[in-house]
Amino acid sequence: MNTQEIVQKLWNLCNVLRDDGITYHEYVTELTYILFLKMAKETGAEAHIPEAYRWDELARKSGLELKEYYQQLLTELGKNGTGRIREIYEGAQTKIDEPKNLEKIVQTIDELDWFSAREEGLGNLYEGLLEKNASEKKSGAGQYFTPRVLIDVMVRLMKPQPGERCNDPACGTFGFMIAAHEYVRQHTDDFFSLDQDTADFEAGDAFTGCELVHDTHRLALMNAMLHDMNGTITLGDTLSSLGESFRDYDLVLTNPPFGTKKGGERATREDLTFPTSNKQLNFLQHIYRSLKRGGRAAVVLPDNVLFADGDGEKIRVDLMDKCNLHTILRLPTGIFYAQGVKTNVLFFTRGQSDKENTREVWYYDLRTNMPSFGKTHPLAKENFTGFEAAYEAPDRSAVKDNRWQCFTREEIAQKGNSLDLGLIKDDSVLDYQDLPDPIASAKEAAQNLEEATSLLQQVICELEACQKGEDA
């Protein structure tokens, strides 16, 4: 049984919980509580779990006894657990009312092919479960999940290096940081080419994040643990005063939430020069201010960030002053689970000074004249081949690709500092400039009609002449 089959079997257990009124997202959280214990047993990591609350104790119980024990287990580990255990179970409550449903879940998990799961990686199994959850429209979890193919492209182009401090200020289930960790691991022979201090740094401090939603925070902690990552994942709001301490990063990778703060509130940060009610604009300010000199970022942002006026324009100018905003990728629609959202990836590097760092911005249009992406036609690695080639070209101006365009800082200023540029001609939109001149067309039609009328009259005359000849 491969990882995909195990994920499907786990996902099918959700049907068991329908009568308890549990949502998809709640189900994944509930699974996390139980999977943590089983995975700890499978990986030999039960030492930090009290013997009375380990997997074997849970698996041997049934009925009402199982339900009562499970509730007690959640409370005990959340209050008296240590380290990551306490973080994962803190405030945990079960919504499973029917003991038989709980028993079915525990038994099914216990009977899975855990040898195969270990071979393919328990982290991959858990990420597969998170992706399945995000792809279900009813789960509402798509807002926490960025398609892995997009994450991988951003990580490959940013090339995280050993010893760098990497952060995601809106980390969701920690997907960006896990991909960055994996990139470093693959390029250092599983960290064996690193000295011990750097290897320890990669496992413990290199990759950090912050997540606002409690249940999603649990998923991030579990995901990190299964990938042998122990970096700090803070539960809180980056746009509050908490975020003021998140700074001096070498690399930021993120897809911050879209929308405005409730009630039109502005961020409660005192260090943001242009606080607005627009979350993405506030996150953008936080990100470029959180970078160290020479630090770099790749950030997914919606179209409105590119053209919003007022504070939006001021923030874009500030960004282009403080950073070299060298590339913007116009993403296709349909790749996120909120359909119709138009997004982009902004790539920038913090300057050594705070003035005139952006001289030109290169755009790649991966949106126009592209197929419709979605659940049945997912975005693939191959869709980014042209963009990656252009991005990494030694001489960007020599790239022959009509999707690849450049605008100077002066040209951008002339357009009111709008960054909503770089889209190519849409073949599906009728261009009236390409239509023939209507007056000339009318004259031509009239001339054709006149010629046709003359020809018809000639035919009629010939027919009449023939008719007279027959009568004679």
Side-chain angles (χ1 to χ4, degrees):
M1 183 180 292
N2 60 32
T3 295
Q4 187 174 357
E5 291 170 333
I6 294 175
V7 166
Q8 188 59 52
K9 194 162 187 177
L10 287 172
W11 192 250
N12 289 340
L13 287 174
C14 189
N15 297 327
V16 174
L17 302 181
R18 282 183 178 174
D19 292 339
D20 282 335
I22 294 178
T23 67
Y24 287 108
H25 197 56
E26 289 169 341
Y27 166 63
V28 174
T29 301
E30 200 85 50
L31 263 188
T32 297
Y33 301 151
I34 301 173
L35 278 173
F36 178 92
L37 300 174
K38 179 61 175 174
M39 289 179 170
K41 174 181 171 62
E42 294 297 324
T43 57
E46 288 185 304
H48 299 292
I49 303 175
E51 289 188 20
Y53 300 105
R54 294 179 182 175
W55 177 260
D56 287 343
E57 286 296 317
L58 180 70
R60 69 167 53 104
K61 291 178 170 53
S62 60
L64 188 59
E65 181 189 12
L66 171 63
K67 180 183 176 182
E68 292 174 349
Y69 169 80
Y70 180 56
Q71 290 175 325
Q72 181 184 348
L73 178 151
L74 295 179
T75 302
E76 181 64 25
L77 295 182
K79 288 184 176 180
N80 301 317
T82 59
R84 277 281 152 90
I85 296 170
R86 182 171 182 172
E87 286 186 281
I88 290 174
Y89 287 95
E90 188 173 8
Q93 294 180 338
T94 180
K95 295 191 177 183
I96 302 177
D97 291 328
E98 178 55 54
K100 288 184 178 179
N101 290 344
L102 178 60
E103 190 173 333
K104 173 69 173 175
I105 291 171
V106 172
Q107 287 178 352
T108 301
I109 290 175
D110 200 36
E111 294 168 359
L112 289 174
D113 181 1
W114 287 97
F115 176 80
S116 296
R118 285 196 304 273
E119 287 292 302
E120 295 199 31
L122 296 181
N124 292 337
L125 187 156
Y126 192 69
E127 277 201 275
L129 193 62
L130 296 177
E131 185 170 8
K132 186 75 173 174
N133 182 38
S135 68
E136 292 290 341
K137 292 181 181 179
K138 294 179 182 178
S139 77
Q143 60 183 309
Y144 308 118
F145 197 93
T146 306
R148 184 58 189 261
V149 63
L150 177 58
I151 290 177
D152 288 342
V153 167
M154 292 166 65
V155 169
R156 281 198 302 273
L157 296 178
M158 289 292 96
K159 298 178 172 55
Q161 299 298 307
E164 290 189 326
R165 297 180 67 237
C166 306
N167 180 260
D168 183 344
C171 68
T173 56
F174 215 53
F176 276 106
M177 294 298 96
I178 286 170
H181 175 267
E182 179 67 13
Y183 180 93
V184 176
R185 187 187 67 79
Q186 290 179 354
H187 288 78
T188 56
D189 191 23
D190 282 336
F191 305 127
F192 287 125
S193 64
L194 304 178
D195 61 71
Q196 191 58 52
D197 287 345
T198 306
D200 291 343
F201 175 79
E202 292 303 308
D205 300 305
F207 305 96
T208 58
C210 183
E211 172 53 43
L212 176 63
V213 181
H214 202 161
D215 282 346
T216 307
H217 180 249
R218 295 186 211 278
L219 304 183
L221 292 168
M222 180 75 163
N223 210 6
M225 185 199 72
L226 292 173
H227 287 86
D228 298 320
M229 299 169 67
N230 300 305
T232 301
I233 304 176
T234 305
L235 175 62
D237 185 359
T238 294
L239 299 183
S240 71
S241 57
L242 172 69
E244 294 177 22
S245 63
F246 302 158
R247 57 178 61 253
D248 295 325
Y249 296 115
D250 297 282
L251 176 60
V252 172
L253 293 157
T254 189
N255 177 10
F258 302 165
T260 58
K261 288 183 72 68
K262 293 180 179 179
E265 298 175 21
R266 292 173 180 261
T268 55
R269 291 274 294 271
E270 295 183 359
D271 62 331
L272 299 183
T273 308
F274 311 104
T276 81
S277 60
N278 184 307
K279 285 183 180 179
Q280 307 94 62
L281 287 172
N282 285 325
F283 266 109
L284 179 57
Q285 288 185 88
H286 162 79
I287 291 161
Y288 65 76
R289 288 174 175 272
S290 73
L291 293 173
K292 67 192 299 185
R293 300 291 180 186
R296 58 210 190 280
V299 186
V300 179
L301 292 166
D303 272 17
N304 70 71
V305 169
L306 304 184
F307 58 74
D309 57 11
D311 284 334
E313 181 182 355
K314 294 175 184 176
I315 291 167
R316 290 192 298 274
V317 170
D318 194 39
L319 166 66
M320 289 186 283
D321 274 342
K322 290 183 168 63
C323 302
N324 177 17
L325 174 62
H326 52 81
T327 312
I328 295 179
L329 170 63
R330 309 302 301 261
L331 289 170
T333 56
I335 64 172
F336 291 100
Y337 299 108
Q339 291 297 316
V341 174
K342 295 181 178 180
T343 55
N344 315 270
V345 184
L346 275 60
F347 297 85
F348 51 88
T349 302
R350 184 70 187 263
Q352 297 301 324
S353 68
D354 285 346
K355 285 294 180 182
E356 299 180 353
N357 279 286
T358 299
R359 302 294 178 85
E360 61 185 19
V361 182
W362 286 89
Y363 286 79
Y364 195 91
D365 181 6
L366 198 62
R367 180 183 303 171
T368 311
N369 302 327
M370 292 292 288
S372 178
F373 292 101
K375 191 173 179 180
T376 57
H377 185 191
L379 199 64
K381 178 181 178 180
E382 293 71 29
N383 296 122
F384 291 94
T385 302
F387 168 63
E388 291 189 69
Y391 184 100
E392 298 197 294
D395 180 2
R396 288 184 161 194
S397 61
V399 174
K400 304 299 182 184
D401 188 332
N402 69 318
R403 295 184 180 276
W404 186 236
Q405 301 180 63
C406 181
F407 293 86
T408 66
R409 182 70 185 84
E410 291 73 21
E411 289 174 320
I412 293 169
Q414 290 171 5
K415 297 178 183 297
N417 293 302
S418 171
L419 292 170
D420 190 19
L421 307 168
L423 295 175
I424 63 176
K425 180 181 175 182
D426 189 341
D427 292 340
S428 67
V429 176
L430 184 64
D431 190 343
Y432 289 99
Q433 292 181 348
D434 292 339
L435 291 175
D437 178 58
I439 297 177
S441 297
K443 288 181 177 179
E444 183 180 355
Q447 183 178 351
N448 291 338
L449 180 61
E450 185 179 347
E451 291 176 355
T453 302
S454 175
L455 181 62
L456 182 60
Q457 288 176 339
Q458 182 179 347
V459 171
I460 291 173
C461 289
E462 291 179 353
L463 289 175
E464 287 178 346
C466 289
Q467 186 67 42
K468 288 180 180 178
E470 289 179 0
D471 291 344

PDB file of all heavy atoms in Angstrom, residues 217-229:
ATOM      1  N   HIS A 217      -2.434  25.794  13.451  1.00  0.00           N
ATOM      2  CA  HIS A 217      -1.150  25.786  14.160  1.00  0.00           C
ATOM      3  C   HIS A 217      -0.782  24.373  14.593  1.00  0.00           C
ATOM      4  O   HIS A 217       0.373  23.945  14.487  1.00  0.00           O
ATOM      5  CB  HIS A 217      -1.237  26.728  15.368  1.00  0.00           C
ATOM      6  CG  HIS A 217       0.009  26.817  16.178  1.00  0.00           C
ATOM      7  ND1 HIS A 217       0.094  26.308  17.462  1.00  0.00           N
ATOM      8  CD2 HIS A 217       1.235  27.328  15.893  1.00  0.00           C
ATOM      9  CE1 HIS A 217       1.309  26.523  17.935  1.00  0.00           C
ATOM     10  NE2 HIS A 217       2.020  27.139  17.011  1.00  0.00           N
ATOM     11  N   ARG A 218      -1.771  23.615  15.060  1.00  0.00           N
ATOM     12  CA  ARG A 218      -1.516  22.214  15.443  1.00  0.00           C
ATOM     13  C   ARG A 218      -1.011  21.406  14.246  1.00  0.00           C
ATOM     14  O   ARG A 218      -0.083  20.604  14.356  1.00  0.00           O
ATOM     15  CB  ARG A 218      -2.795  21.543  15.931  1.00  0.00           C
ATOM     16  CG  ARG A 218      -3.413  22.044  17.179  1.00  0.00           C
ATOM     17  CD  ARG A 218      -4.585  21.121  17.531  1.00  0.00           C
ATOM     18  NE  ARG A 218      -5.623  21.845  18.216  1.00  0.00           N
ATOM     19  CZ  ARG A 218      -5.616  22.115  19.509  1.00  0.00           C
ATOM     20  NH1 ARG A 218      -4.599  21.731  20.241  1.00  0.00           N
ATOM     21  NH2 ARG A 218      -6.613  22.776  20.060  1.00  0.00           N
ATOM     22  N   LEU A 219      -1.679  21.617  13.094  1.00  0.00           N
ATOM     23  CA  LEU A 219      -1.295  20.881  11.890  1.00  0.00           C
ATOM     24  C   LEU A 219       0.135  21.232  11.484  1.00  0.00           C
ATOM     25  O   LEU A 219       0.899  20.367  11.050  1.00  0.00           O
ATOM     26  CB  LEU A 219      -2.263  21.186  10.744  1.00  0.00           C
ATOM     27  CG  LEU A 219      -3.757  20.933  11.001  1.00  0.00           C
ATOM     28  CD1 LEU A 219      -4.564  21.210   9.739  1.00  0.00           C
ATOM     29  CD2 LEU A 219      -4.013  19.523  11.489  1.00  0.00           C
ATOM     30  N   ALA A 220       0.491  22.501  11.629  1.00  0.00           N
ATOM     31  CA  ALA A 220       1.854  22.933  11.295  1.00  0.00           C
ATOM     32  C   ALA A 220       2.872  22.265  12.217  1.00  0.00           C
ATOM     33  O   ALA A 220       3.931  21.805  11.770  1.00  0.00           O
ATOM     34  CB  ALA A 220       1.952  24.454  11.408  1.00  0.00           C
ATOM     35  N   LEU A 221       2.569  22.213  13.509  1.00  0.00           N
ATOM     36  CA  LEU A 221       3.469  21.576  14.473  1.00  0.00           C
ATOM     37  C   LEU A 221       3.675  20.102  14.148  1.00  0.00           C
ATOM     38  O   LEU A 221       4.788  19.588  14.180  1.00  0.00           O
ATOM     39  CB  LEU A 221       2.909  21.725  15.890  1.00  0.00           C
ATOM     40  CG  LEU A 221       2.881  23.140  16.476  1.00  0.00           C
ATOM     41  CD1 LEU A 221       2.034  23.158  17.750  1.00  0.00           C
ATOM     42  CD2 LEU A 221       4.292  23.613  16.773  1.00  0.00           C
ATOM     43  N   MET A 222       2.566  19.423  13.845  1.00  0.00           N
ATOM     44  CA  MET A 222       2.632  18.004  13.506  1.00  0.00           C
ATOM     45  C   MET A 222       3.435  17.796  12.223  1.00  0.00           C
ATOM     46  O   MET A 222       4.286  16.903  12.142  1.00  0.00           O
ATOM     47  CB  MET A 222       1.204  17.478  13.309  1.00  0.00           C
ATOM     48  CG  MET A 222       1.122  16.010  12.942  1.00  0.00           C
ATOM     49  SD  MET A 222       1.437  14.916  14.350  1.00  0.00           S
ATOM     50  CE  MET A 222       0.765  13.389  13.710  1.00  0.00           C
ATOM     51  N   ASN A 223       3.191  18.642  11.232  1.00  0.00           N
ATOM     52  CA  ASN A 223       3.884  18.537   9.957  1.00  0.00           C
ATOM     53  C   ASN A 223       5.389  18.722  10.153  1.00  0.00           C
ATOM     54  O   ASN A 223       6.201  17.986   9.588  1.00  0.00           O
ATOM     55  CB  ASN A 223       3.333  19.593   8.990  1.00  0.00           C
ATOM     56  CG  ASN A 223       3.405  19.168   7.539  1.00  0.00           C
ATOM     57  OD1 ASN A 223       3.764  18.037   7.212  1.00  0.00           O
ATOM     58  ND2 ASN A 223       3.069  20.082   6.649  1.00  0.00           N
ATOM     59  N   ALA A 224       5.758  19.724  10.931  1.00  0.00           N
ATOM     60  CA  ALA A 224       7.174  19.986  11.195  1.00  0.00           C
ATOM     61  C   ALA A 224       7.823  18.816  11.927  1.00  0.00           C
ATOM     62  O   ALA A 224       8.932  18.384  11.580  1.00  0.00           O
ATOM     63  CB  ALA A 224       7.323  21.268  12.007  1.00  0.00           C
ATOM     64  N   MET A 225       7.125  18.306  12.922  1.00  0.00           N
ATOM     65  CA  MET A 225       7.685  17.202  13.710  1.00  0.00           C
ATOM     66  C   MET A 225       7.953  15.969  12.848  1.00  0.00           C
ATOM     67  O   MET A 225       8.990  15.315  12.982  1.00  0.00           O
ATOM     68  CB  MET A 225       6.725  16.847  14.844  1.00  0.00           C
ATOM     69  CG  MET A 225       7.260  15.800  15.801  1.00  0.00           C
ATOM     70  SD  MET A 225       5.950  15.039  16.763  1.00  0.00           S
ATOM     71  CE  MET A 225       5.148  14.026  15.539  1.00  0.00           C
ATOM     72  N   LEU A 226       7.043  15.680  11.930  1.00  0.00           N
ATOM     73  CA  LEU A 226       7.201  14.501  11.078  1.00  0.00           C
ATOM     74  C   LEU A 226       8.297  14.683  10.038  1.00  0.00           C
ATOM     75  O   LEU A 226       8.715  13.716   9.400  1.00  0.00           O
ATOM     76  CB  LEU A 226       5.874  14.173  10.385  1.00  0.00           C
ATOM     77  CG  LEU A 226       4.769  13.676  11.325  1.00  0.00           C
ATOM     78  CD1 LEU A 226       3.455  13.544  10.575  1.00  0.00           C
ATOM     79  CD2 LEU A 226       5.151  12.347  11.954  1.00  0.00           C
ATOM     80  N   HIS A 227       8.768  15.926   9.877  1.00  0.00           N
ATOM     81  CA  HIS A 227       9.898  16.186   8.970  1.00  0.00           C
ATOM     82  C   HIS A 227      11.183  16.487   9.758  1.00  0.00           C
ATOM     83  O   HIS A 227      12.128  17.047   9.215  1.00  0.00           O
ATOM     84  CB  HIS A 227       9.565  17.352   8.034  1.00  0.00           C
ATOM     85  CG  HIS A 227       8.562  17.003   6.978  1.00  0.00           C
ATOM     86  ND1 HIS A 227       7.209  17.082   7.175  1.00  0.00           N
ATOM     87  CD2 HIS A 227       8.722  16.566   5.693  1.00  0.00           C
ATOM     88  CE1 HIS A 227       6.566  16.713   6.069  1.00  0.00           C
ATOM     89  NE2 HIS A 227       7.460  16.395   5.158  1.00  0.00           N
ATOM     90  N   ASP A 228      11.176  16.108  11.041  1.00  0.00           N
ATOM     91  CA  ASP A 228      12.352  16.296  11.907  1.00  0.00           C
ATOM     92  C   ASP A 228      12.781  17.750  11.982  1.00  0.00           C
ATOM     93  O   ASP A 228      13.977  18.069  11.956  1.00  0.00           O
ATOM     94  CB  ASP A 228      13.525  15.424  11.420  1.00  0.00           C
ATOM     95  CG  ASP A 228      13.211  13.942  11.480  1.00  0.00           C
ATOM     96  OD1 ASP A 228      12.574  13.516  12.462  1.00  0.00           O
ATOM     97  OD2 ASP A 228      13.580  13.214  10.544  1.00  0.00           O
ATOM     98  N   MET A 229      11.807  18.634  12.087  1.00  0.00           N
ATOM     99  CA  MET A 229      12.080  20.071  12.195  1.00  0.00           C
ATOM    100  C   MET A 229      11.572  20.564  13.543  1.00  0.00           C
ATOM    101  O   MET A 229      10.420  20.320  13.900  1.00  0.00           O
ATOM    102  CB  MET A 229      11.401  20.832  11.054  1.00  0.00           C
ATOM    103  CG  MET A 229      11.880  20.431   9.666  1.00  0.00           C
ATOM    104  SD  MET A 229      10.848  21.120   8.341  1.00  0.00           S
ATOM    105  CE  MET A 229      11.195  22.870   8.510  1.00  0.00           C
TER     106      MET A 229
END
